[in-house]
Amino acid sequence: MRVGAACDIARAPRQGVTQRTDTTAVRKDLRTADGVRIEARYEPYAGPDTGSATAGDPGAIVLAHGFTGSLDRPAVRRAATAFTAHAAVVTFSFRGHGRSGGRSTVGDREVLDLAAAVAWARAQGHRTVATVGFSMGGSVVLRHAALCRAEYGRGHAGSTFDSVMHRGRTDGRTAAPASPRDAADAAAATPAPAHADAPVHTDAHAPAPAPAHADAVVAVSAPARWYYRGTAPMRRLHWAIQHPLGRLVSRYGLRTRVHHRDWDPVPLPPVAAVPRIAPVPLLVVHGDQDPYFPVDHPLSLAEAADPEACELWLRPGFGHAENAADAALLDRIGTWAATRLRAPAARPHHGTRDPHAPRAAGSTPGHAPGPAPDATEGTDG
């Protein structure tokens, strides 16, 4: 995969330069393990205990947007503002999106972007971090949680996500050799390696990098499996990322720069990642009116997850991802994440529904309805 500053649509400050956009938020350029520059924004907790001597560490929520999103998009800003009532919030733009460098790999190397954002949240002094991902970002938070486990987060070099990914090459993450152009693109201004699996050499006297694992995970409108084409929006999406003309439309119409290379090997699919997340608490949120992924996707995720660690909310009338999430749903997600960051509660069975949502016809309390058959998956028609 080609990554780096050659794909930038806008210039940004050098890595390590921090900008204050107002009296509360901080913007900073991060650098991923494979050398891609990622724009990020930190917003402190703005809840009722702000300024209290007994408030303690509220933890942080790292928000991972969907495909074609960015940290400055209105829907992402609205979600971030809602979450600051519950914890500090880090938003960022995935590679190929917004002012970040590189090109989108549509969920593969984006786990490195998320890892950099989580590590930055911990560097702000937060001991616990929840990741909340929407759509593509939902698949990324699931794979990130499976590949970057808490047992590596002990304040040593092995806690950084790049070393965990090096150990996890057989987990299905893209590990194609870097071309000379890739190396030139990734070398911009830092000694970070061009190859995603290359070890990072640091000064022996430098402080250890912040751990990059998540303490709670929320996947909203996430797919369970790759290459799903069972809905018209997903067939259009595949055209936008796989066809040369579609990538031109993505770049200039959707302001999203997509890499031209196919996955090789195919990344670990979300449904195979969720069994590896436990005991980290996991919340799967999905709408019964999602135009991209029908309800068999969240049901598959919940069924594959550890029943003691996973909770499923099927929301009647809810559409897709951050654009469709209303204030009430965002507040409930923020409450769920904050509760587990500060005082983890007993984890309900994976069939537990959102207590605020009415049950669908034919369902029983505590269990989700069965998956609907999909006759068109895997086809272009």
Side-chain angles (χ1 to χ4, degrees), residues 2-43:
R2 182 177 301 165
V3 295
C7 305
D8 295 356
I9 61 172
R11 298 297 296 173
R14 293 174 301 159
Q15 186 243 359
V17 175
T18 299
Q19 292 179 303
R20 284 198 176 274
T21 57
D22 53 48
T23 58
T24 57
V26 176
R27 294 183 75 117
K28 184 181 177 71
D29 281 348
L30 310 177
R31 191 69 66 164
T32 68
D34 60 343
V36 178
R37 177 181 54 77
I38 299 298
E39 64 168 350
R41 174 182 170 119
Y42 173 83
E43 297 170 74

Side-chain angles (χ1 to χ4, degrees), residues 229-252:
R229 295 181 175 88
T231 58
M234 285 306 298
R235 290 191 287 274
R236 290 193 295 268
L237 177 62
H238 278 80
W239 176 81
I241 63 180
Q242 293 180 334
H243 193 280
L245 179 58
R247 290 192 291 271
L248 282 175
V249 171
S250 296
R251 182 181 184 104
Y252 296 106

Side-chain angles (χ1 to χ4, degrees), residues 2-144:
R2 182 177 301 165
V3 295
C7 305
D8 295 356
I9 61 172
R11 298 297 296 173
R14 293 174 301 159
Q15 186 243 359
V17 175
T18 299
Q19 292 179 303
R20 284 198 176 274
T21 57
D22 53 48
T23 58
T24 57
V26 176
R27 294 183 75 117
K28 184 181 177 71
D29 281 348
L30 310 177
R31 191 69 66 164
T32 68
D34 60 343
V36 178
R37 177 181 54 77
I38 299 298
E39 64 168 350
R41 174 182 170 119
Y42 173 83
E43 297 170 74
Y45 171 57
D49 294 330
T50 301
S52 170
T54 60
D57 175 20
I61 294 174
V62 176
L63 193 163
H65 61 76
F67 184 68
T68 76
S70 73
L71 67 81
D72 288 320
R73 290 291 176 92
V76 175
R77 298 280 3 111
R78 178 166 50 86
T81 300
F83 292 157
T84 58
H86 304 279
V89 175
V90 169
T91 51
F92 65 99
S93 298
F94 280 120
R95 61 185 64 201
H97 294 72
R99 292 172 55 89
S100 291
R103 298 184 189 181
S104 174
T105 62
V106 200
D108 181 12
R109 288 195 175 183
E110 281 74 8
V111 288
L112 300 174
D113 309 345
L114 178 61
V118 170
W120 188 46
R122 294 191 186 278
Q124 306 308 304
H126 300 294
R127 293 172 297 169
T128 54
V129 176
T131 54
V132 179
F134 295 88
S135 193
M136 181 188 78
S139 69
V140 174
V141 300
L142 294 174
R143 292 184 57 240
H144 169 269

